[in-house]
Amino acid sequence: MAAATAAASSSGPPRGFQFAIDRGGTFTDVFARCPGGRVRVLKLLSEDPGYRDAPTEGIRRVLEEELGVPVPRDEPLDTSGIEWIRMGTTVATNALLERRGERLALLVTRGFRDLLHIGNQARPHIFDLEVAVPEVLYEEVIEVDERLIPHQPGCRLPGSDTLPLLEGSTGTSLLLQRPLDLGGLRQALEGVLARGIRSLAVLLLHSYAWPGHEEQVGALARELGFRHVSLSSAVAGMVRAVPRGYTACADAYLTPCIHRYLQSFRRGFRNQLEGVPVLFMRSDGGLTPMEQFGGARAILSGPAGGVVGYAVTTYGCQGGQPVIGFDMGGTSTDVSRYAGEYEHVFEATTAGVAIQAPQLDINTVAAGGGSRLFFRSGLYVVGPESAGAHPGPACYRKGGPLTVTDANLCLGRLLPEYFPRIFGPGEDQPLCREAAERAFAEMAARIQAFQAATATDAAAAEDPPKPLTVEEVAMGFLRVANEAMCRPIRALTQARGHDAARHVLACFGGAGGQHACAIARTLGMSRVFIHKHSGVLSAYGLALADVVQEAQEPCALRYEAAAFPRLDARLAALEQRCRHALRAQGFAGEQIRTEAFLHLRYEGTDCALMCSAKGHPPTPASCRAGDFLAAFTSRYLQEFGFTIPDRPVVVDDVRVRGTGSSGISCETPLAPSGKPPRVETVTRCYFEEGYLETPVFLLEELACDHTVPGPAIVIDKNSTIVVEPGCTASLTGLGDVCIAVGSGAPRPVGPQLDAVQLSIFSHRFMSIAEQMGRILQRTAISTNIKERLDFSCALFGPDGGLVSNAPHIPVHLGAMQETVQFQIRNLGEDLREGDVILSNHPCAGGSHLPDLTVITPVFWPGIPKPVFFVASRGHHADIGGITPGSMPPHSKTLQEEGAVFVSFKLVKDGVFQEEAVREALLAPGRVPGCSGSRNLPDNLSDLRAQVAANQKGIQLVTELIRLHGLPVVQAYMAHIQANAEVAVREMLKGFAARWGTAVEAEDFMDDGSPIRLRVQVDPQEPQPREKGRMRFHKLQNVQIALNYLKHRQVKLVNIRNDDIADGNPKLTLGLIWTIILHFQISDIQVTGQSEDMTAKEKLLLWSQRMVEDYRLRCDNFTTSWRDGRLFNAIIHRHK
C-alpha cells in the first residue's frame, strides 16, 4: 500500500519531505518539498569521490539544512520524515551504451541461433566506409527443439493435417509442428549456469500468439537457479521476432543492473526504505513502483521527466496550444511534442539495440552548449563532437576547444560574475572571456585566409573581403547552431503535417534560455515559455507525474463488425487488469483513468498507428470503446496526406493505459510588487544589430506584474535567459517566464556568397531532403522502402545538378543527377507544371532497373521553365521480368529484367495516371517467358508515396523562396554545388597529406582473380579554368566503350581522333558499325528496307528497330545521337 500514502497526501502542504530526483549522466537534479510547503532545489555531480550515491547525497543535504542537525554522510538516513521519493535515472541507458550489463544467454528456437546477430540488416550510417556490426548482448546461444507454425487453410505442408491445433491469443490458430524438448534443454541450461551466466532471454517463434513453450522454459530456468529470466512474450508480446528478441535481451541485460542499483540505493536508508513509497519514471512518461522498475522500459527514464514537466506546466497555461519541448544540455538537445496527450513510439533503437516497448517520442540532435565549433571547406560547422566536462569549452581555462558556450560568452550573453568560481586547473577561477575571444580571433584569421585563397582575382578586386570581427564569427556560429537545433523540431512538426508556427516553445535545460528567442523566431513561433524551475524541470516533472499501469496483448483480427464483440471483451479485460493493479497501489476509483488503444494498419502495409478513440465517440458501426476507424483514418490522412479507402484495416495489438492521478500541485502563486522591476546591472550584449545596452534582471526579484522588453538578460540560479530585441518577457501568476516573440528586423540576405548563410542554407536544404525521406518511409508499403530503407531523396537545381541529399543510398545519389538532367534534355518544353516523371532506363541515368525514380519539376509564377527539381528513387521488390526480384543473371534483353520507363508521365496535369502505369508495369508479361509485376498494388502504393515525398519537398522549398526570394535561393543552390567541389578538393589534399600522393591496394574475387587499385592524388591546386569550360560530356561513356573494343581487338570503322576530341556524331555511327562487326554481322538485313538504301540508311532503320521498344526515336544521327542515349540503349540490348 506504498502508493496509498502518496495518493492520500497529495493535496495541501506536505506532512513530510517529498523528493523528486533526476539522476543524469553528468548532474543530478533534486526538487524537494519540505514540511510546510517550502521548496528546495539543488544540483550536484552524479559521480563524485566525496559521496557514494548522488540522489542519497542530495536527500542528505536537504534533510541536514532543513532540520538544522548534522546528518552524517557515512550513516544510513532516517526515513521517518520522508513522505515519498520519485526518481528518474540513466542507469539503464548508460549500461546499454557502455555495454556494462549482466552476462546473458539467449535461448531460441532451433535453427535460429543467428537471428539477432543478422538482425534486419539496417545501416543507420550508410556512408560509413567501415561498417561496424553492433555487438549482441548475449554471450551464448542455446537452441531448443520446438516449433509452432501458423495454421493456414489449404496448407500443403506434409503431415500438417495431423498436427495438434492450438488456439492463439491473437485470434488465429497455430500448429504444433515440434513439441518442446525440456529434457534435452535441462543439460544445456545447467552448462550455462556452470559458466557463471545467471540471466536468460527466451525467444521462441510465434510465442507472442501462444506463450506456453516460453512459460515452460522460464519455469525450468528459475528452478535451475537463473536469477533473472526474460520471456519475449511477457516483455514485448508483439509480432516480429527480431525486435521482440532484442527487447527480451535488453531486459535480461539491464534489469539485474537496475536491481543492483536499487539495492545499493536502499542501503543508504534505515530499514532499506521500508514503508516509504518510492516510484521510478519509465520511458513512457509514467511512474511505477520501485519493485516493478527495470529493463527495457527504463531507457528514457531520465528525459521522460522533462517531457512530463513541460506538458503539465505549459500546455494548460497556454490555452491548450500545442507545445514543443526544447531541452538543451551540454552535449545534445532533446526535442519532443505535446498536444494534449503524450506522443509515443513503440519501437526505437538505442546503442544499436531495437527496443519494442512504449517510449516517449524524443528526438535528439548533437548540438548543445559544449558542441565544438569548426570551419571546414568554407562552412561553419557545429558539432557533433563535444568538448565534454574535461577539458570543456575554451572559457573553462583548461585548454579546451571553441564551443557554443564560448560564442555566448563572447557576445555578452553569459555573465561570468553570476557563475560559480569552479574553473581552471585548481577549480577556483571564474569563466575566462579572454580565452574564448583569443580562440575566436584565431578562428576569424583562418576563415579570412581560406576566403582569400579561394577567391578569384576578379572577385577579390570587385568585392574585397572585409576583416571579420570576433563578434561576427561568434554570431555566425550561433546562427548555424540554432539552425541545427531547428531541424529535429521541423521533423516533429512539418514532416508530420503540423505547423511549427502554431506551437509554443517550452524551453528548459541549462543552455536553452540563451537560444529560445532565436529558435522560436526562425520557426515562426510567437511564444516561448520557460518554467521557473526550467533548470531542473526533469526532476520537477517527476513530482507532477502520474502512476501508470499498462496492459497490452497481440491481435490479428480485422477491424470489422464481426470482430467488435471480441475486441470489446479484450479491451474490457485489460481495463480491469489496469484498475486492479492501481487499486493495489492505493489509488481510489475516482483517481483512476483508463484509455483504450488499438494498434491499427492497412492490410498489406507495415505502418501501424497506435490509435485512441478519444474525440471519436462510438457509433453503430464501431466498437463500444469508440470509433477507432475514424481516429485511424483521420490521423493517417494528417501524417501521410492520403488514405487507402478500399483496403481492410488490421488490429495488431489491443492496449489499455491506466493512470493513477496523484493530484500533486507544487505551484505557489506570486504576489504583484506594484513597482517597476529592479535592474541588477547593465551590460553590453551583441545581437544582429551589433552591441546594445542590455539590462540584467534576477528572476527571483521579478513579480507577476513585471514586463521586461528586449534586449534583456534574466538570470536564475541554474540558467540564463536572453530576451532578444523585439521580444518581451513577462511573468505569469506562478512566476514562470512567458516571452512574446516579435518578428524582429528582417536580416537581408543577398545572392552573393556569405559563409554563414551558406552553412544555414546547407542545413535547410539537408532538412528538406530528410523530411522527404521521412514522408517516403512512413507512407510506403513495401518492406524494401519502409524497413530496409532502400530509397533516396534529393533536391536539384534548375540545371538538374544535385544540391542536397539526405544520407540515403550512395549509388542512387550518384546517378539521380543524370536522371534529372536527362529529363531536361529529353522532354524540354514538354516539362509542364502538374507533371511528375517516372524513369528507370539505363540510358536515362538509371542505376538499377527496379530502382524507380520519380521526378517533379517545380515552377514559379512568371518563369516558363522549372526553377528546381525534387526527386525520390526507391527500390521496388518486383517490376516483372523472367524472375521475381531484380537482376536475373540469365537475362538477355532489358525487358527480361522488368518494366522500362524512360520519360513516363506518372502524373499529368495533376492527375495520377494509374491505368497507364498499371499497363506499363504489366507490359513485360507480353514477352515470352516473362511476367508483369507480381505485386502491382505495392508498386502503385510506393509510387504514390514517392509522389507525396516530392510534394513535401516542393512545399518546403517554396516556403524558403517566399522567405528569401527566388534569386537568393537559386544563388545558394549554386553556392552549395560550388562548395561541394571545394570540400572534395580539401578532402583529397588531406588524404594526400596523411597517406601520400600514391596509394594502392589489392583484393580478390571468389575465384581468386585479383583486383588491383592504384590511386594518385595531385595535392597541387590546378590552374583556374575559364567559366563554362567545366562541362560533363555524355560521350565519355562512348569513350569507355571504345577502349573496351580496342582492348578486344575489334575493328573500328568511321572513327578519327578528331571525332573523339570533338564529340562528333560520326563517333556514335562508327560505334554502331563496330557493334555489328563485333557480333559478326556481315551484312545488314532490316525488315522493310528497300533495295536502293545506302548502308547508312539501312543502319539508321536498323537502329530505329533496336530502340523503338524504349519509346525512343532515331530520326538522324546528327540530332538523335548527340548525347549518346540511344547508343546506351543498343549497347544494353546486345549485352
Side-chain angles (χ1 to χ4, degrees):
M1 296 294 292
T5 308
S9 62
S10 59
S11 59
R15 298 193 307 269
F17 289 92
Q18 299 174 344
F19 292 98
I21 304 170
D22 174 37
R23 186 188 187 279
T26 304
F27 290 102
T28 292
D29 299 336
V30 180
F31 176 85
R33 292 180 76 208
C34 307
R38 174 178 161 84
V39 172
R40 292 291 309 276
V41 173
L42 68 149
K43 186 183 289 279
L44 63 160
L45 290 171
S46 295
E47 301 288 342
D48 192 288
Y51 43 81
R52 183 180 57 81
D53 177 67
T56 307
E57 173 65 13
I59 293 173
R60 187 197 69 79
R61 292 183 186 181
V62 171
L63 292 176
E64 185 175 72
E65 294 171 9
E66 289 297 315
L67 297 176
V69 296
V71 179
R73 185 171 287 168
D74 56 353
E75 295 182 7
L77 300 180
D78 181 10
T79 61
S80 60
I82 298 178
E83 188 172 342
W84 50 251
I85 299 173
R86 299 179 172 192
M87 281 182 62
T89 177
T90 57
V91 169
T93 310
N94 294 340
L96 193 59
L97 290 171
E98 299 166 13
R99 293 298 195 261
R100 292 187 291 102
E102 184 78 358
R103 294 182 63 195
L104 163 69
L106 170 66
L107 189 147
V108 68
T109 302
R110 185 170 300 282
F112 292 87
R113 65 177 298 114
D114 294 321
L115 180 65
L116 300 188
H117 174 69
I118 296 170
N120 58 11
Q121 296 293 288
R123 288 179 58 187
H125 305 291
I126 194 72
F127 283 88
D128 282 358
L129 295 178
E130 184 177 355
V131 180
V133 179
E135 297 178 8
V136 293
L137 301 180
Y138 50 84
E139 289 185 25
E140 295 192 27
V141 180
I142 304 169
E143 293 184 279
V144 61
D145 285 314
E146 71 86 38
R147 189 63 191 272
L148 302 173
I149 58 174
H151 173 55
Q152 297 178 342
C155 175
R156 290 181 288 178
L157 191 68
S160 60
D161 53 343
T162 62
L163 296 178
L165 190 66
L166 305 174
E167 187 64 29
S169 61
T170 61
T172 58
S173 301
L174 299 106
L175 297 175
L176 179 58
Q177 187 181 35
R178 188 183 306 151
L180 176 64
D181 179 15
L182 288 176
L185 179 60
R186 177 181 291 271
Q187 184 176 356
L189 290 175
E190 288 173 344
V192 169
L193 281 169
R195 290 185 287 276
I197 296 177
R198 299 287 185 272
S199 189
L200 182 70
V202 183
L203 171 63
L204 302 183
L205 295 192
H206 304 296
S207 61
Y208 71 94
W210 195 82
H213 281 176
E214 283 197 352
E215 290 167 355
Q216 294 174 52
V217 170
L220 175 61
R222 295 185 186 96
E223 173 193 324
L224 293 175
F226 279 90
R227 294 174 187 165
H228 184 82
V229 180
S230 292
L231 307 180
S232 72
S233 55
V235 174
M238 302 173 73
V239 70
R240 298 172 68 204
V242 170
R244 193 170 77 249
Y246 279 143
T247 308
C249 287
D251 190 74
Y253 187 74
L254 298 175
T255 299
C257 297
I258 294 172
H259 287 174
R260 280 195 296 272
Y261 172 73
L262 296 180
Q263 291 168 5
S264 172
F265 178 66
R266 285 194 191 101
R267 284 196 293 270
F269 300 85
R270 292 181 189 173
N271 301 321
Q272 298 202 5
L273 288 171
E274 184 177 348
V276 178
V278 182
L279 302 172
F280 273 78
M281 175 62 75
R282 299 191 310 187
S283 301
D284 62 359
L287 295 168
T288 191
M290 179 168 56
E291 296 77 18
Q292 300 176 21
F293 180 68
R297 298 193 175 224
I299 302 296
L300 295 181
S301 174
V307 177
V308 174
Y310 82 74
V312 174
T313 59
T314 306
Y315 183 73
C317 296
Q318 299 300 310
Q321 190 172 350
V323 184
I324 292 294
F326 178 74
D327 179 7
M328 184 176 177
T331 59
S332 63
T333 297
D334 293 335
V335 299
S336 53
R337 181 177 182 271
Y338 183 83
E341 59 184 31
Y342 296 111
E343 297 190 355
H344 292 98
V345 292
F346 294 86
E347 185 177 325
T349 300
T350 302
V353 179
I355 307 294
Q356 197 175 47
Q359 300 180 28
L360 290 172
D361 191 2
I362 300 174
N363 288 14
T364 301
V365 61
S371 293
R372 296 180 59 182
L373 308 180
F374 306 92
F375 184 79
R376 292 177 178 153
S377 305
L379 290 174
Y380 285 60
V381 179
V382 178
E385 299 91 336
S386 173
H390 181 80
C395 60
Y396 279 20
R397 301 176 182 265
K398 293 182 180 179
L402 269 180
T403 67
V404 172
T405 296
D406 294 306
N408 278 308
L409 182 63
C410 273
L411 299 178
R413 301 177 179 215
L414 294 178
L415 305 179
E417 58 267 32
Y418 293 95
F419 279 74
R421 300 171 68 92
I422 57 173
F423 306 101
E427 299 184 350
D428 56 356
Q429 295 177 276
L431 288 171
C432 182
R433 181 169 179 171
E434 292 76 17
E437 288 176 340
R438 284 195 301 271
F440 271 114
E442 294 171 4
M443 176 73 78
R446 288 200 298 273
I447 294 172
Q448 286 188 273
F450 176 88
Q451 292 175 338
T454 54
T456 63
D457 294 338
E462 182 180 339
D463 187 18
K466 299 175 183 177
L468 289 171
T469 66
V470 163
E471 291 82 3
E472 288 172 336
V473 174
M475 191 69 188
F477 276 111
L478 278 194
R479 288 162 59 199
V480 174
N482 291 338
E483 186 60 43
M485 290 182 285
C486 286
R487 278 171 65 178
I489 297 177
R490 292 191 180 102
L492 276 178
T493 53
Q494 293 176 347
R496 299 184 183 180
H498 307 296
D499 184 358
R502 297 181 180 274
H503 291 68
V504 175
L505 188 68
C507 183
F508 56 106
Q514 298 140 46
H515 299 259
C517 289
I519 287 174
R521 183 174 282 158
T522 299
L523 294 169
M525 297 177 174
S526 60
R527 276 183 291 177
V528 172
F529 188 87
I530 304 176
H531 194 269
K532 60 187 174 185
H533 295 308
S534 63
V536 294
L537 194 65
S538 290
Y540 184 68
L542 294 169
L544 306 177
D546 292 331
V547 176
V548 170
Q549 184 70 39
E550 286 202 351
Q552 181 170 320
E553 291 180 353
C555 185
L557 301 173
R558 281 187 176 182
Y559 188 82
E560 57 190 10
F564 291 162
R566 185 162 184 174
L567 291 172
D568 285 328
R570 295 181 68 177
L571 288 170
L574 295 179
E575 179 182 353
Q576 287 305 311
R577 192 191 306 175
C578 291
R579 288 186 176 275
H580 177 76
L582 290 169
R583 288 194 187 99
Q585 296 178 46
F587 288 94
E590 63 273 12
Q591 293 176 289
I592 298 174
R593 301 187 313 276
T594 61
E595 188 171 8
F597 296 85
L598 293 182
H599 206 195
L600 301 172
R601 62 181 172 84
Y602 283 117
E603 191 171 73
T605 74
D606 191 57
C607 185
L609 300 177
M610 188 67 77
C611 296
S612 162
K614 187 176 181 180
H616 298 275
T619 69
S622 75
C623 292
R624 290 200 305 268
D627 191 349
F628 289 97
L629 182 61
F632 171 72
T633 53
S634 172
R635 184 173 162 194
Y636 202 96
L637 180 64
Q638 181 185 38
E639 290 206 21
F640 308 136
F642 69 94
T643 59
I644 313 176
D646 300 327
R647 187 76 64 93
V649 174
V650 177
V651 184
D652 275 348
D653 302 276
V654 292
R655 169 177 169 243
V656 172
R657 180 179 173 92
T659 56
S661 177
S662 60
I664 293 172
S665 175
C666 304
E667 303 283 9
T668 304
L670 204 64
S673 71
K675 54 186 179 182
R678 186 183 76 85
V679 177
E680 171 76 4
T681 186
V682 176
T683 187
R684 296 181 75 241
C685 193
Y686 191 91
F687 296 96
E688 297 286 359
E689 300 86 347
Y691 274 110
L692 298 176
E693 296 294 313
T694 305
V696 178
F697 302 88
L698 299 182
L699 180 60
E700 60 188 22
E701 295 184 1
L702 296 178
C704 62
D705 56 345
H706 286 157
T707 298
V708 177
I713 294 177
V714 180
I715 293 180
D716 187 18
K717 293 177 182 177
N718 296 306
S719 61
T720 298
I721 302 169
V722 175
V723 184
E724 295 201 353
C727 303
T728 303
S730 58
L731 259 66
T732 69
L734 297 174
D736 306 318
V737 179
C738 186
I739 303 176
V741 180
S743 59
R747 178 183 173 85
V749 178
Q752 64 276 11
L753 176 63
D754 176 83
V756 175
Q757 286 297 337
L758 183 67
S759 307
I760 291 173
F761 271 100
S762 176
H763 276 285
R764 291 300 297 269
F765 290 146
M766 178 72 80
S767 175
I768 290 167
E770 288 175 345
Q771 291 190 54
M772 289 174 64
R774 288 190 180 95
I775 290 293
L776 178 53
Q777 181 188 358
R778 292 184 63 82
T779 55
I781 282 180
S782 69
T783 301
N784 276 340
I785 293 179
K786 184 169 290 295
E787 292 190 40
R788 293 183 58 245
L789 308 184
D790 195 350
F791 66 85
S792 298
C793 298
L795 170 68
F796 302 85
D799 62 347
L802 179 66
V803 174
S804 70
N805 58 266
H808 294 154
I809 306 297
V811 70
H812 290 178
L813 299 166
M816 285 173 75
Q817 173 174 294
E818 287 299 307
T819 306
V820 176
Q821 292 177 335
F822 174 88
Q823 304 306 327
I824 296 174
R825 294 191 304 270
N826 194 47
L827 292 176
E829 299 300 324
D830 198 27
L831 272 174
R832 297 188 176 91
E833 190 168 5
D835 290 351
V836 179
I837 311 303
L838 172 63
S839 181
N840 69 340
H841 198 288
C843 77
S847 56
H848 181 203
L849 206 65
D851 290 340
L852 302 187
T853 305
V854 173
I855 304 162
T856 307
V858 184
F859 292 81
W860 195 253
I863 298 177
K865 292 185 177 181
V867 295
F868 65 92
F869 295 82
V870 289
S872 54
R873 178 172 288 186
H875 182 116
H876 289 240
D878 188 84
I879 57 170
I882 55 178
T883 60
S886 62
M887 297 178 66
H890 48 286
S891 57
K892 300 180 182 64
T893 65
L894 197 60
Q895 285 81 357
E896 291 181 337
E897 292 191 359
V900 178
F901 303 92
V902 178
S903 298
F904 182 90
K905 290 200 174 183
L906 181 64
V907 177
K908 189 173 183 180
D909 298 326
V911 179
F912 188 82
Q913 304 295 304
E914 181 167 340
E915 287 304 317
V917 73
R918 183 187 297 270
E919 180 182 348
L921 286 166
L922 295 175
R926 296 195 291 268
V927 178
C930 293
S931 167
S933 172
R934 298 165 180 86
N935 198 352
L936 188 60
D938 279 15
N939 293 129
L940 296 173
S941 295
D942 284 355
L943 287 172
R944 287 192 182 95
Q946 290 178 254
V947 173
N950 287 5
Q951 192 61 35
K952 170 57 72 172
I954 294 169
Q955 172 195 337
L956 296 174
V957 178
T958 51
E959 287 177 8
L960 203 58
I961 293 173
R962 291 191 184 99
L963 180 63
H964 295 290
L966 180 61
V968 171
V969 173
Q970 288 190 330
Y972 272 93
M973 285 182 174
H975 295 328
I976 290 288
Q977 291 170 328
N979 178 259
E981 180 183 346
V982 172
V984 172
R985 291 182 184 277
E986 293 293 310
M987 181 272 293
L988 290 175
K989 288 180 183 178
F991 179 89
R994 181 177 181 184
W995 302 105
T997 57
V999 294
E1000 57 185 55
E1002 183 178 68
D1003 205 344
F1004 298 90
M1005 300 183 70
D1006 292 344
D1007 63 355
S1009 301
I1011 301 176
R1012 298 184 182 93
L1013 173 67
R1014 178 178 173 83
V1015 177
Q1016 290 182 286
V1017 180
D1018 182 3
Q1020 301 302 316
E1021 191 75 26
Q1023 293 298 317
R1025 283 167 288 193
E1026 296 178 25
K1027 186 175 180 181
R1029 292 293 298 273
M1030 295 177 60
R1031 292 188 178 273
F1032 174 83
H1033 205 288
K1034 189 79 174 178
L1035 284 177
Q1036 67 175 323
N1037 290 333
V1038 179
Q1039 182 64 48
I1040 293 171
L1042 263 176
N1043 293 336
Y1044 169 79
L1045 294 173
K1046 285 180 179 179
H1047 177 66
R1048 295 291 180 184
Q1049 297 180 343
V1050 176
K1051 184 180 179 182
L1052 303 177
V1053 180
N1054 258 3
I1055 297 176
R1056 303 191 310 271
N1057 288 335
D1058 60 336
D1059 292 330
I1060 297 173
D1062 298 337
N1064 193 295
K1066 284 195 295 184
L1067 170 64
T1068 307
L1069 172 60
L1071 274 174
I1072 295 174
W1073 275 109
T1074 300
I1075 294 167
I1076 295 171
L1077 291 172
H1078 181 54
F1079 284 94
Q1080 298 178 348
I1081 304 174
S1082 58
D1083 189 19
I1084 301 175
Q1085 297 294 328
V1086 183
T1087 303
Q1089 72 180 36
S1090 60
E1091 292 300 325
D1092 58 346
M1093 274 187 174
T1094 65
K1096 183 176 179 180
E1097 289 170 336
K1098 290 181 184 180
L1099 181 58
L1100 192 61
L1101 182 59
W1102 173 83
S1103 301
Q1104 180 58 44
R1105 295 283 188 269
M1106 290 292 100
V1107 299
E1108 60 187 7
D1109 287 344
Y1110 303 122
R1111 302 186 185 183
L1112 300 175
R1113 288 289 306 167
C1114 182
D1115 298 317
N1116 63 72
F1117 287 104
T1118 303
T1119 59
S1120 298
W1121 292 87
R1122 186 168 298 279
D1123 61 10
R1125 64 190 189 276
L1126 302 190
F1127 161 73
N1128 287 337
I1130 292 180
I1131 284 285
H1132 201 281
R1133 167 67 61 84
H1134 281 280
K1135 277 185 178 178

